Amino acid sequence: MRAGAAWWLRLLRLNAPGAVRRDQDGRAAGVLVAAVREAGEERLLPLLLLGMGGHGAVEPPPVPDEAIPVLADLVAGSDERLGVAAAAALVRTGTEDGLGTAISLLTRAMAGEDLALSAVAAGAFGGIGVRTKAVARELGRRLSGDAALALHAVKALESMGAAAAPTLPALATLVRDGTAAVTLRSAVAGALGTIFARPAAGEPKRLGAGRVRARAALTDAALSAADWPVLAAAADALAATGGTPTAVVQRLTGLLGHDDSEVRGAAALSLVRAGAAPADAVPALVERLRREQEQEVRQALVVALATVGVAALPALLAVVREQVPDTLLPAVEAIIKIGRDAVPEVAEGMLTDADEQVRDLAVAMLQRLGPRAEAAVPVAVRLLGHAAPGVREHAAMAVT
C-alpha cells in the first residue's frame, strides 16, 4: 500500500509538480528506495519511477543519496532489466560510483533488441543530456522502426542540442514523412528547432549548412502537414531557427478561421512566436477577434495583433470605438502592448472623439502607458483650447 501511494505521488510530481510538497516527495522517494532494496521482480517499477526524468521545463524528482549503493549493486548485477532501470536512476544522482558501468550498460541497452530497455536508455540519456557522437549515432539509428522508441530517441536528441546535428538526415526524413505519427513528427520538428536554433557567434560552418537543410525540411512539413500540431510545431521551429517563411505565415493566418478553437489558438500563438504577424494578416486577426468566444484564443489574438505594431492600430481603434464588451478589453490590451508607437493615434484620434466613453478609454490607455505616453502631452495641451468642453475636460485628465 505504501509503495503504491509513493508511486502515485511520484507520477503526480512529474505531471503536476506544484501539487506535491517537498516533504511528501522526500517520503515517497524513501519508500521507493526501500522497495528497491527488497528482492524480487517487484523492484522494477520503483526503479523506473526513480529514474524518470521531467517533462519540458519541469524538473524531475530527485533521486535520494541513500539509493546510490543499491543502484550501483543492481547496475553491476546479472539482471539486465533491473540493471538498466537502476542505471537510468543512477546517472541522475551525479555520483561517480558505478557511473562508467551505468553509461556502458545504457549504451548497450539502447543498441539492443529489447525495445523497452532501449526506450529506458534513450530517456536516461535525454535526461542527463549526454553529448557524445556514439550516443547521437545510436539514437539516430533508433528513429526508424518502433514509434514509441523513436519518440524517446527524438527527445534525447533534442536534449543534446547542437551535438545531435549529425542525425539531421534521419530527422529531416521523419519530419517530412506524412505517414509517421503526428506526435512523433511534432516532436521531431521541436527537436530540429532546438538543435539548429538561431546561430551563435563563432558556430561551426557545418552547423550553419545543417540549419539551411533543417529549415527546408521544416518548411516542407509546415506547408504539407494535414495535422495542425505538426504545422504548429514546424512553424515554431522555423521561428526558432531564423524566422518563419511568408508561405507558412499565410497558412497559419488561414487557420484563424478554423472550426476548432484549439487550432485557432495554436495558429495565433504560432504567429506570435513568428516574431511579428504580417500587416496583411490584420483583417483576419481582427475579424477573428470580433467573433471569437474562447478567452484563451482571444488573448492569443491580442498578442498577435500587438506584434503587428502600428499597422494594426486603425483596426484596433475601430474595435475600441464599437465598445462591444467581449472585444473591447482585448483590443485595448493590444494597443497597450504596442506601446509608445500607439500614442499619437490614441491622443489625436480618440481624445477628440464625439463619444465621451471613447474619450474615457483614451485617457485610461494613456495613463496606463505612463512615461511611454509622453508624446501625448503636447497634443493634450493643444486640446485644452478645443471648442468642445468635453474634449477640453478629457485633455486635462490626460495630462494630470
Side-chain angles (χ1 to χ4, degrees):
M1 182 67 73
R2 290 179 64 230
W7 298 340
W8 280 114
L9 270 177
R10 204 67 167 173
L11 290 172
L12 182 61
R13 167 65 169 77
L14 284 166
N15 292 282
V20 179
R21 298 193 311 269
R22 183 181 296 274
D23 63 314
Q24 293 174 321
D25 196 26
R27 286 201 297 274
V31 171
L32 291 173
V33 173
V36 168
R37 288 195 177 103
E38 296 174 3
E41 289 292 318
E42 293 78 11
R43 291 187 289 183
L44 184 58
L45 182 55
L47 276 171
L48 291 171
L49 286 168
L50 282 173
M52 279 182 172
H55 299 309
V58 177
E59 285 294 322
V63 177
D65 288 344
E66 60 265 28
I68 292 174
V70 66
L71 292 175
D73 287 344
L74 288 170
V75 166
S78 59
D79 189 314
E80 185 181 21
R81 289 190 307 159
L82 292 177
V84 170
L90 188 65
V91 295
R92 289 188 46 236
T93 64
T95 182
E96 296 294 326
D97 296 340
L99 183 60
T101 304
I103 294 290
S104 297
L105 182 57
L106 290 171
T107 303
R108 291 197 304 274
M110 195 165 58
E113 298 302 318
D114 189 319
L115 297 183
L117 292 185
S118 296
V120 171
F125 282 131
I128 60 175
V130 171
R131 290 173 171 79
T132 67
K133 289 182 180 179
V135 169
R137 184 168 54 249
E138 192 55 48
L139 288 169
R141 192 176 72 83
R142 289 300 192 177
L143 293 176
S144 58
D146 181 75
L149 177 53
L151 187 58
H152 282 288
V154 168
K155 292 298 186 183
L157 287 168
E158 183 174 15
S159 76
M160 295 176 67
T167 62
L168 171 60
L171 290 170
T173 298
L174 193 49
V175 81
R176 286 184 170 114
D177 184 359
T179 66
V182 172
T183 304
L184 180 57
R185 291 183 72 199
S186 301
V188 171
L192 287 170
T194 300
I195 295 166
F196 296 98
R198 290 179 187 271
E203 74 171 10
K205 288 184 178 180
R206 60 176 175 76
L207 196 57
R211 182 177 297 106
V212 172
R213 295 195 296 276
R215 286 178 55 78
L218 288 166
T219 302
D220 289 346
L223 294 178
S224 64
D227 301 286
W228 70 263
V230 178
L231 166 57
D236 291 349
L238 284 163
T241 55
T244 311
T246 301
V248 176
V249 170
Q250 290 172 341
R251 189 166 186 215
L252 290 169
T253 303
L255 288 177
L256 293 173
H258 199 278
D259 291 340
D260 189 331
S261 64
E262 193 172 3
V263 176
R264 297 194 301 272
L269 289 173
S270 288
L271 284 171
V272 171
R273 287 189 283 266
D280 58 10
V282 170
L285 288 165
V286 171
E287 178 58 26
R288 186 69 249 167
L289 185 63
R290 285 192 172 103
R291 296 165 49 199
E292 186 56 57
Q293 298 299 310
E294 298 290 336
Q295 178 65 20
E296 290 184 1
V297 180
R298 282 208 299 266
Q299 289 302 318
L301 290 165
V302 163
V303 179
L305 281 163
T307 67
V308 176
V310 176
L313 275 175
L316 287 169
L317 291 173
V319 174
V320 170
R321 286 189 172 93
E322 291 168 1
Q323 298 182 56
V324 177
D326 284 345
T327 54
L328 174 59
L329 288 179
V332 168
E333 287 301 318
I335 293 170
I336 296 297
K337 286 180 182 293
I338 292 172
R340 195 183 305 274
D341 290 338
V343 170
E345 289 275 2
V346 173
E348 293 281 4
M350 294 181 66
L351 282 177
T352 57
D353 198 277
D355 189 323
E356 181 180 0
Q357 289 182 310
V358 172
R359 297 196 302 272
D360 285 340
L361 287 166
V363 171
M365 283 191 282
L366 292 171
Q367 289 176 342
R368 279 193 60 189
L369 285 165
R372 293 178 293 167
E374 59 186 12
V377 174
V379 177
V381 170
R382 173 166 50 80
L383 292 177
L384 291 173
H386 198 278
V391 173
R392 294 198 301 271
E393 179 185 354
H394 283 85
M397 293 167 63
V399 294
T400 56

